[in-house]
Amino acid sequence: MANLLDIEKLKKLLQSFHHLTGLRIVIFDRSFQEILGYPSEHCKFCSYIRSNEKALQKCYACDAAACQVCQHTNELYLYTCHAGLSEVVSPIYYNNTIIAYLMFGQICNYPDKETIWPFIYERCKDYVSDMQALNSAFFEKTYVSLETLQASANIIEACTAYIHLSELIRQDSNDLPFRINQFITCNLDKVLTADTICQTFHISHSRLYRISEQLYGCSIGKQIKKLRIQAAQKLLRDSDLNISEIATRIGIYDYNYFTKYFKQATGVTPSLYRASCSTNAES
């Protein structure tokens, strides 16, 4: 699944973030593979870890797992990597779909390194032969406070919004997943099933399943439901259409079923959701 990148502008953005924060920042594609990073080299601590093949594979798996969490929650995710350092990953969208991830990390946010070192030691002792060198690299790392970490996370969310709005990363319009996503988005008011999509694009169910898992991180049915709920929420917030009309706009023609469908996904009925939006707007 192809992405088109404005490499020069992306490099400048990553460099600016690094110069501002001193932190390494990378972009991962939908397959959770690093496609661009700055600086290109890892910090000394992580370089020692990644020099071991088994540890390197754990680093790859840790990055992929974080991106998958981000994919399922659609939100920024802060976590501790397998070696004990902090990382933050944020989704990058194009046409309402996550197509890449922006991550910064290799952060030591432990103010008392002496106390935390045994924890780091236990995590890394099976991968690093020279623990004294790793110890020195760990104690050389700059401490980053939680406040600075959160501020950097706020900046990275602004960066992902800028990448989206400026289309620095976008899907190839000839890409099959892109065309499938466009078809779903433009036909929420119609009957949409896996059979419909497979027949439209002349693909097998198994291929559609693989595309959906990689593109959305879930089944095609769950993605269609998610998009319908998002569309319904927007209409409930921003329009004066009655609830029956909104249900029809998202391809559900039974008022009672729509109410059940919406409540199952959001925890509240459409009427309560609209009322809460009005209350929040007035407060």
Side-chain angles (χ1 to χ4, degrees), residues 78 86 109 111 143-152:
L78 190 157
S86 294
N109 66 333
Y143 162 65
V144 176
S145 69
L146 285 175
E147 290 80 9
T148 300
L149 184 59
Q150 184 58 59
S152 301

Side-chain angles (χ1 to χ4, degrees), residues 216-251:
Y216 307 122
C218 63
S219 69
I220 200 70
K222 286 184 178 179
Q223 179 62 15
I224 291 169
K225 182 173 184 177
K226 174 183 169 182
L227 291 176
R228 280 179 164 153
I229 292 298
Q230 289 176 348
Q233 288 174 318
K234 180 173 175 56
L235 290 168
L236 287 165
R237 286 195 310 268
D238 303 337
S239 79
D240 295 325
L241 293 173
N242 64 48
I243 292 175
S244 292
E245 289 175 306
I246 290 173
T248 302
R249 290 281 186 97
I250 67 162

Side-chain angles (χ1 to χ4, degrees), residues 43-203:
C43 71
K44 189 184 295 184
F45 177 87
C46 291
S47 294
Y48 281 129
I49 299 290
R50 297 168 78 93
S51 64
N52 177 280
E53 183 60 31
K54 186 176 179 181
L56 178 62
Q57 294 306 314
K58 290 201 74 170
C59 291
Y60 290 151
C62 192
D63 290 341
C67 290
Q68 286 175 318
V69 171
C70 192
Q71 181 185 57
H72 286 291
T73 63
N74 300 309
E75 296 176 349
L76 178 142
Y77 177 51
L78 190 157
Y79 66 101
T80 300
C81 78
H82 76 96
L85 300 184
S86 294
E87 311 265 4
V88 175
V89 60
S90 184
I92 297 172
Y93 285 89
Y94 184 76
N95 196 33
N96 297 316
T97 303
I98 296 174
I99 61 168
Y101 304 88
L102 197 57
M103 178 186 287
F104 70 88
Q106 305 182 354
I107 296 168
C108 172
N109 66 333
Y110 306 111
D112 186 351
K113 293 179 184 176
E114 290 284 356
T115 300
I116 206 66
W117 170 249
F119 165 77
I120 301 295
Y121 178 89
E122 286 300 317
R123 287 198 167 209
C124 303
K125 65 181 181 180
D126 294 334
Y127 310 123
V128 179
S129 56
D130 189 348
M131 288 302 294
Q132 185 56 49
L134 188 71
N135 176 278
S136 297
F138 177 70
F139 279 87
E140 286 173 12
K141 288 192 69 62
T142 301
Y143 162 65
V144 176
S145 69
L146 285 175
E147 290 80 9
T148 300
L149 184 59
Q150 184 58 59
S152 301
N154 293 339
I155 292 170
I156 203 176
E157 286 194 303
C159 289
T160 57
Y162 170 70
I163 290 171
H164 168 66
L165 292 172
S166 302
E167 296 191 355
L168 301 188
I169 304 177
R170 62 190 188 279
Q171 286 178 291
D172 184 346
S173 59
N174 293 317
D175 192 29
L176 177 59
F178 174 84
R179 291 188 288 120
I180 289 174
N181 189 63
Q182 283 285 86
F183 176 79
I184 293 170
T185 303
C186 295
N187 290 279
L188 289 177
D189 60 334
K190 300 180 178 65
V191 175
L192 277 175
T193 64
D195 285 340
T196 305
I197 296 167
C198 288
Q199 290 168 11
T200 300
F201 293 97
H202 308 291
I203 59 174

